[in-house]
Amino acid sequence: EGIKFITDFGVSSFSSTSETNVNEFPELEIFDGSKFCSFILGTFDGSITCHLRPQSLVASTSSSGPNVFNPLEAYEIDFSGSTVSLRLKEASFNLDHRRVIVPTETTFAVKVQ
């Protein structure tokens, strides 16, 4: 019952480079003119499953029960089974002498149960 759709997507490769000025924070040895630099290279893919199901409407006109007057509130949206993953081929973040390097092929994934 209702409407169900599945969308599969994937980006074979993406790259992002950014540089931004950081406010001075002497307690952490971040001084005026410091820049935060990042570089990310990787892939992004997933599958989104969405099921739009109508909820049972009650014939009541009371304001405390389910809203029978607004059709958007009369539906339940379910994303169970959806997955999204981000696989990094290369990633690094620099702030002055501090550096974080993410290991190759690191994967971040989200799965909706």
Side-chain angles (χ1 to χ4, degrees):
E1 185 177 320
I3 299 169
K4 185 172 187 176
F5 68 90
I6 300 172
T7 304
D8 294 324
F9 62 92
V11 177
S12 62
S13 181
F14 73 90
S15 176
S16 173
T17 303
S18 67
E19 182 177 298
T20 185
N21 294 324
V22 179
N23 291 332
E24 186 171 359
F25 197 158
E27 293 83 355
L28 294 178
E29 297 179 10
I30 300 172
F31 301 106
D32 193 34
S34 295
K35 292 187 183 288
F36 178 76
C37 303
S38 66
F39 173 73
I40 300 174
L41 175 67
T43 62
F44 185 71
D45 62 11
S47 175
I48 296 180
T49 302
C50 182
H51 193 173
L52 181 64
R53 290 189 289 266
Q55 293 181 0
S56 300
L57 295 179
V58 178
S60 169
T61 58
S62 89
S63 62
S64 62
N67 190 343
V68 296
F69 302 109
N70 185 347
L72 293 177
E73 292 183 9
Y75 286 90
E76 174 184 328
I77 301 173
D78 182 14
F79 288 99
S80 296
S82 297
T83 59
V84 176
S85 68
L86 170 68
R87 178 172 290 153
L88 300 177
K89 294 179 181 175
E90 184 178 345
S92 65
F93 307 94
N94 304 313
L95 176 62
D96 292 336
H97 62 280
R98 298 165 190 87
R99 176 177 287 174
V100 174
I101 299 173
V102 180
T104 301
E105 296 301 318
T106 296
T107 302
F108 298 97
V110 175
K111 183 175 182 180
V112 180
Q113 297 281 350

